[in-house]
Amino acid sequence: MKKPTVTPNMIDKAVMFVAPQWGMSRIQSRMKYEALSMGGYIGADTSRRSMRSANTTIGSSDTDDLPSLEKLRAIARDMYRNAPIVHGAGDTIRFNVIGSGLTVQSDIDREFLGMDEEAARKWEQNAERLFRFWADSESSDAERTSNFYELQTIALMGALISGDIFAALPYVKREGTPFSLIVQLIEADRCSNPNSSMDTDKIAGGVEVDALGAPTHYHFTKYHPGGLRLSNEWKRIPAFGNSGRRNILHVYEKLRPGQKRGVSILAPIIEPLKQFTDYTHAELTAAVVSGLFTVFIESESGGVNLDMEDENGGSGSNVDADELNLSAGAILGLAPGEKVTTANPNRPNTAFDPFTQAILKQIGAALNIPFEVLMKHFSASYSASRAALLEAWKMFRSRRTWFSKKFCQPIYEAVLTEAVLIGRLDAPGFLEDPMVRRAYCQASWKGPAQGQLNPVNETKAADMRVESGYSTRAAEAAEMNGSDFDQNIKRATVETRQMKESGLFEMKYTTASIEQAKIDQGNEQ
């Protein structure tokens, strides 16, 4: 006989019948418990069927990131080498953020320094000239294979794909240059704990910090851990020199307090990217197989010797019994009793394009690159295409600002410091007062311009912004084509004088006046 099931409701009724006061207290306590158990966010309720796989725990930045970084870097680099979408996305960011390299435009605080406009401009031009001399030379590179602008490409891609990159700034005297400062880029893999020891609060991921979490030393291997050397050794480099100058630049995007190492921008999308790449390869292979036309000949003797060749130069004779190699236009013989059974792959797949577009839109959203920019596919309306470009350029400008502050500006300040020390640049108070040094080192970094979909309308809009006081000619010149307004005026003045001297200036405006007169006369008639 089945025993009756006793429910909490039955017990409540029994207690209420015997002792109503206790029964009410019991019901109130049950209601409070149910209210507490139902509180909070549904997304944190792992007892729900949809959330059972979300078995995550709270961890610090080091415990969440560091165990996975080595594998993430290896996969991200492999995907950049071999996955077309990843390579294209990385190059899209690179070409728009830095292009062929960010160039400096000195913008000193002349009011603070007590300099008039002419003196300030001369100082800025001299500073820019000295920096260009250093930056254009391959002597600025420790390996002497790249100039400063090419080093920017290596540094940016290292920070984006690998998660971070380091730059040491030692002094090495070299022939042919008055400067001794060089830039030594160090790949992320070389920064690790000495002897591969466990991470601690003091040192993790090769970064040694003080009690406040500020880096004090970096630990680098002498050789790349994935190189040809079987043994390695570690070197401990101070993060700052005695004067407070940075010895090591650590270029990475910090997203959490206490984060010591950077994470690849591909980390959140590596799995879908890998599956997407495998899927496109499978579809391509299926389409190729479907496009092959191979003739199979079965004979009683099993010996077919046709004096024919396929397009690859192969003969039409029998092939290995264990393997048949299909190729376009091939004629293959079969052994007696053998038959070929194939499955039609029905390729090309008509659903391939819409499906891949849906996946690529998600990948683009994760990289902050709209689908149109990611695929270089501007088939929508002018407004939609312009909106996509504007959205992408929010990210490009943000990346440019971040990279110039982390990499370009500290190196520019180090070059100016050496120029002052060797007497090439006159800057009173530069070495004694940090505020004066800051006033001398202020600069902006120029890179590729956004580009224009409708140059006429966008140029008119730029003119209106300048006339209304919402912008300046210098800002619009940098925005429209990345040029320097001061240099434009200087060069335009020279060109105008040359045109006047050659007579082209008067000829041009005389012709323009005649054409305008004809137009006015036609309007009057």
Side-chain angles (χ1 to χ4, degrees), residues 457-512:
N457 290 342
E458 294 180 28
T459 301
K460 290 180 179 179
D463 291 339
M464 293 174 64
R465 286 193 293 269
V466 172
E467 292 173 1
S468 301
Y470 301 137
S471 184
T472 64
R473 289 179 171 83
E476 294 300 331
E479 180 73 17
M480 297 186 71
N481 56 21
S483 64
D484 185 334
F485 177 74
D486 292 339
Q487 294 296 326
N488 291 346
I489 292 296
K490 182 178 179 180
R491 185 60 190 169
T493 302
V494 174
E495 291 176 352
T496 302
R497 185 178 69 250
Q498 292 174 343
M499 290 182 68
K500 287 181 178 179
E501 293 173 354
S502 64
L504 293 176
F505 188 85
E506 289 79 2
M507 184 185 301
K508 174 185 175 182
Y509 283 95
T510 300
T511 304

Side-chain angles (χ1 to χ4, degrees), residues 58-102:
I58 294 177
S60 67
S61 173
D62 290 342
T63 57
D64 285 347
D65 298 340
L66 295 182
S68 306
L69 288 187
E70 183 177 350
K71 191 66 176 178
L72 277 176
R73 285 196 292 262
I75 297 175
R77 290 171 187 162
D78 178 74
M79 297 192 74
Y80 180 73
R81 289 192 299 266
N82 298 299
I85 294 299
V86 178
H87 195 93
D91 284 354
T92 295
I93 296 175
R94 173 167 67 94
F95 293 148
N96 287 280
V97 172
I98 62 173
S100 57
L102 301 181

Side-chain angles (χ1 to χ4, degrees), residues 133-152 154-155 165-174 177 179-186 407 411 415:
F133 176 86
W134 176 88
D136 290 339
S137 173
E138 292 182 351
S139 296
S140 59
D141 176 20
E143 300 178 5
R144 286 190 128 171
T145 56
S146 306
N147 60 28
F148 175 65
Y149 307 106
E150 293 166 335
L151 288 175
Q152 291 182 35
I154 302 172
I165 195 168
F166 301 85
L169 303 178
Y171 289 102
V172 177
K173 185 60 180 175
R174 288 175 170 174
T177 175
F179 294 98
S180 300
L181 179 73
I182 63 172
V183 179
Q184 181 183 10
L185 294 181
I186 305 173
F407 185 77
I411 293 176
V415 172

Side-chain angles (χ1 to χ4, degrees), residues 183-474:
V183 179
Q184 181 183 10
L185 294 181
I186 305 173
E187 205 160 25
D189 312 86
R190 290 180 56 189
C191 185
S192 59
N193 293 350
N195 301 313
S196 302
S197 59
M198 296 290 292
D199 293 325
T200 64
D201 291 339
K202 180 70 174 176
I203 175 172
V207 182
E208 186 176 340
V209 298
D210 60 16
L212 296 177
T216 60
H217 295 82
Y218 294 95
H219 296 261
F220 297 108
T221 58
K222 187 175 181 180
Y223 309 103
H224 194 286
L228 302 176
R229 296 272 183 167
L230 298 179
S231 60
N232 221 331
E233 56 186 83
W234 278 259
K235 189 173 182 180
R236 185 170 178 256
I237 307 295
F240 299 90
N242 295 330
S243 62
R245 170 187 177 271
R246 273 192 170 273
N247 294 326
I248 301 292
L249 302 180
H250 188 187
V251 184
Y252 74 108
E253 188 175 23
K254 186 174 181 179
L255 300 176
R256 294 181 61 182
Q259 181 179 347
K260 297 181 178 65
R261 299 298 300 270
V263 181
S264 170
I265 61 170
L266 302 178
I269 53 175
I270 278 182
E271 183 183 7
L273 273 172
K274 182 68 172 63
Q275 294 188 22
F276 176 83
T277 302
D278 293 343
Y279 170 68
T280 54
H281 285 172
E283 284 289 341
L284 179 59
T285 302
V288 170
V289 172
S290 178
L292 295 177
F293 181 77
T294 302
V295 177
F296 297 94
I297 299 178
E298 181 180 0
S299 67
E300 295 181 359
S301 63
V304 178
N305 186 14
L306 297 178
D307 188 16
M308 299 183 66
E309 292 184 352
D310 59 25
E311 65 173 13
N312 297 321
S315 66
S317 60
N318 288 344
V319 296
D320 192 317
D322 296 328
E323 180 181 357
L324 292 177
N325 295 321
L326 303 183
S327 62
I331 302 177
L332 304 178
L334 301 178
E338 291 184 340
K339 293 185 178 180
V340 176
T341 302
T342 60
N344 185 4
N346 294 322
R347 293 299 187 276
N349 184 359
T350 56
F352 176 78
D353 193 54
F355 175 74
T356 54
Q357 286 192 29
I359 300 300
L360 288 172
K361 287 176 181 178
Q362 297 183 36
I363 293 172
L367 296 174
N368 291 300
I369 305 177
F371 172 78
E372 294 85 351
V373 180
L374 178 66
M375 299 304 296
K376 315 295 190 299
H377 184 69
F378 298 95
S379 60
S381 64
Y382 168 81
S383 299
S385 298
R386 178 170 171 78
L389 282 173
L390 292 175
E391 192 66 26
W393 268 89
K394 291 179 184 178
M395 182 270 289
F396 296 146
R397 289 194 183 92
S398 177
R399 291 279 185 197
R400 182 181 297 176
T401 301
W402 161 76
F403 184 71
S404 62
K405 288 182 178 180
K406 289 290 185 179
F407 185 77
C408 299
Q409 184 65 24
I411 293 176
Y412 171 69
E413 294 177 6
V415 172
L416 290 190
T417 301
E418 185 178 6
V420 173
L421 286 171
I422 63 178
R424 294 277 181 170
L425 195 61
D426 183 25
F430 187 97
L431 301 175
E432 295 79 19
D433 190 337
M435 291 189 66
V436 172
R437 181 164 60 251
R438 173 62 180 166
Y440 276 118
C441 291
Q442 287 185 8
S444 57
W445 292 87
K446 305 301 180 184
Q450 177 177 325
Q452 303 168 1
L453 294 178
N454 191 326
V456 174
N457 290 342
E458 294 180 28
T459 301
K460 290 180 179 179
D463 291 339
M464 293 174 64
R465 286 193 293 269
V466 172
E467 292 173 1
S468 301
Y470 301 137
S471 184
T472 64
R473 289 179 171 83

Side-chain angles (χ1 to χ4, degrees), residues 7-83:
T7 64
N9 191 34
M10 295 172 59
I11 298 176
D12 290 341
K13 289 181 179 179
V15 174
M16 182 70 73
F17 179 78
V18 177
Q21 186 175 0
W22 289 357
M24 289 295 298
S25 177
R26 179 182 174 87
I27 292 174
Q28 290 175 358
S29 298
R30 181 181 297 282
M31 293 176 65
K32 289 181 181 179
Y33 172 78
E34 291 177 352
L36 288 174
S37 63
M38 294 176 63
Y41 292 96
I42 294 177
D45 185 5
T46 55
S47 64
R48 303 173 71 90
R49 183 182 298 274
S50 59
M51 295 300 298
R52 288 177 184 174
S53 61
N55 296 319
T56 59
T57 57
I58 294 177
S60 67
S61 173
D62 290 342
T63 57
D64 285 347
D65 298 340
L66 295 182
S68 306
L69 288 187
E70 183 177 350
K71 191 66 176 178
L72 277 176
R73 285 196 292 262
I75 297 175
R77 290 171 187 162
D78 178 74
M79 297 192 74
Y80 180 73
R81 289 192 299 266
N82 298 299

